[in-house]
């Protein structure tokens, strides 16, 4: 049972480059979301999706795009990387049941130089 | 404006003793609270939760207490074990919102010494 799988684990980008962080879950969860974790900042919500074809912005969406074409996958795209996007990114999913807890992936550590 | 606050960045306790991690919140619309545990290089894992209609929830060695009037919750771990050493995040959800829209605190690093 893989749960939530994130790739890559590590990535270094130059300012201005674009890339996609991949997230896949095999639990048939309706909800998926992306968080970033910065030192001293806790986890902040970037974007989320309540089902295939439906996405919405979280607390810190600027500079990121998402799409949800399937239930399983929820990629996060950085359009033009900036040093301020250096962070650890976590993908999470949950069932569409009230108070069902989030299941997190193991994260992608991104460095933008 | 930080709506979920964990004012202690770190806590150190001896094995076998009680660990108490604290969390304060400012938004009175929060109605569900969760604790997550995070080991280095791993994602957070769900530990225990409590609804605002309760003041206590237990799961084995873990108990969460909620004081709504003080907007305060705490996680008690008894007895503490070295394997409990991790970062603990407090999270809250607003009423009417879905569980994915959680507001997290900054975390508290718990170290349990053998």
């Amino acid at each position: 049972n893989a749960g939530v799988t994130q790739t890559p684990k590590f990535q270094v980008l130059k300012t201005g480059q674009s890339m996609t962080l991949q997230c896949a879950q095999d639990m048939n969860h309706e909800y998926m979301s992306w968080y970033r974790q910065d030192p001293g900042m806790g986890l902040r919500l970037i974007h989320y999706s309540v089902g295939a074809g439906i996405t919405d912005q979280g607390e810190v969406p600027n500079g990121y795009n998402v799409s949800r074409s399937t239930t399983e996958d929820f990629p996060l795209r950085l359009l033009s990387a900036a040093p301020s996007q250096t962070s650890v990114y976590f993908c999470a999913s949950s069932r569409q049941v009230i108070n069902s807890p989030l299941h997190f992936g193991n994260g992608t550590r991104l460095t933008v130089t | 404006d930080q709506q979920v606050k964990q004012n202690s960045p770190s806590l150190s306790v001896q094995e076998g003793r009680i660990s108490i991690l604290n969390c304060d919140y400012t938004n009175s619309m929060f109605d569900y609270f969760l604790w997550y545990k995070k080991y280095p290089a791993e994602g957070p894992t769900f530990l225990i939760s409590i609804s605002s209609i309760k003041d206590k929830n237990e799961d084995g060695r873990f108990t969460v207490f909620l004081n709504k009037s003080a907007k305060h919750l705490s996680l008690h771990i008894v007895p503490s074990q070295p394997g409990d050493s991790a970062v603990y995040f407090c999270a809250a959800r607003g009423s009417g919102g879905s569980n994915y829209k959680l507001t997290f605190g900054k975390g508290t690093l718990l170290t349990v010494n053998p």
Side-chain angles (χ1 to χ4, degrees):
Chain A
N1 190 354
V4 179
T5 302
Q6 291 184 238
T7 55
K9 288 187 168 58
F10 302 95
Q11 183 71 49
V12 179
L13 291 178
K14 291 189 184 336
T15 297
Q17 287 185 315
S18 62
M19 78 157 296
T20 299
L21 308 185
Q22 302 291 345
C23 175
Q25 53 93 7
D26 62 359
M27 298 173 282
N28 204 30
H29 285 171
E30 296 86 355
Y31 294 137
M32 295 187 76
S33 54
W34 278 99
Y35 286 84
R36 60 179 286 175
Q37 184 192 10
D38 300 296
M41 296 293 291
L43 290 144
R44 293 182 293 169
L45 181 64
I46 305 172
H47 284 285
Y48 64 94
S49 168
V50 299
I54 306 168
T55 64
D56 206 344
Q57 296 181 348
E59 181 186 353
V60 287
N62 291 341
Y64 307 96
N65 270 358
V66 292
S67 60
R68 184 98 178 269
S69 56
T70 67
T71 299
E72 295 77 20
D73 300 298
F74 190 43
L76 178 73
R77 296 183 191 83
L78 279 71
L79 308 173
S80 176
S84 61
Q85 293 179 304
T86 293
S87 187
V88 181
Y89 292 84
F90 290 100
C91 179
S93 71
S94 68
R95 295 167 57 206
Q96 193 174 338
V97 172
I98 191 153
N99 296 337
S100 179
L102 286 173
H103 297 259
F104 284 85
N106 283 335
T108 294
R109 182 174 293 276
L110 175 69
T111 302
V112 183
T113 60
Chain B
D1 179 29
Q2 199 182 354
Q3 298 186 67
V4 177
K5 301 177 186 179
Q6 293 177 257
N7 292 322
S8 297
S10 63
L11 174 69
S12 182
V13 300
Q14 286 299 120
E15 182 179 4
R17 307 293 284 268
I18 184 171
S19 295
I20 299 176
L21 296 98
N22 294 303
C23 178
D24 297 294
Y25 62 96
T26 59
N27 189 340
S28 57
M29 299 301 288
F30 287 146
D31 69 347
Y32 191 68
F33 304 89
L34 307 90
W35 285 93
Y36 282 82
K37 180 164 94 169
K38 185 184 179 304
Y39 292 120
E42 294 184 10
T45 55
F46 169 71
L47 191 58
I48 192 169
S49 61
I50 188 167
S51 167
S52 60
I53 62 173
K54 295 186 175 182
D55 55 18
K56 178 182 172 181
N57 188 27
E58 277 184 87
D59 184 1
R61 296 186 297 114
F62 303 92
T63 302
V64 56
F65 295 92
L66 175 62
N67 182 334
K68 279 188 68 177
S69 60
K71 294 191 178 66
H72 176 83
L73 63 155
S74 60
L75 173 68
H76 292 212
I77 306 174
V78 184
S80 301
Q81 300 173 353
D84 295 330
S85 297
V87 176
Y88 289 78
F89 289 100
C90 173
R93 189 205 75 183
S95 61
S98 297
N99 49 27
Y100 51 80
K101 290 185 76 174
L102 296 177
T103 301
F104 285 83
K106 294 182 179 181
T108 296
L109 173 63
L110 173 66
T111 303
V112 180
N113 301 301

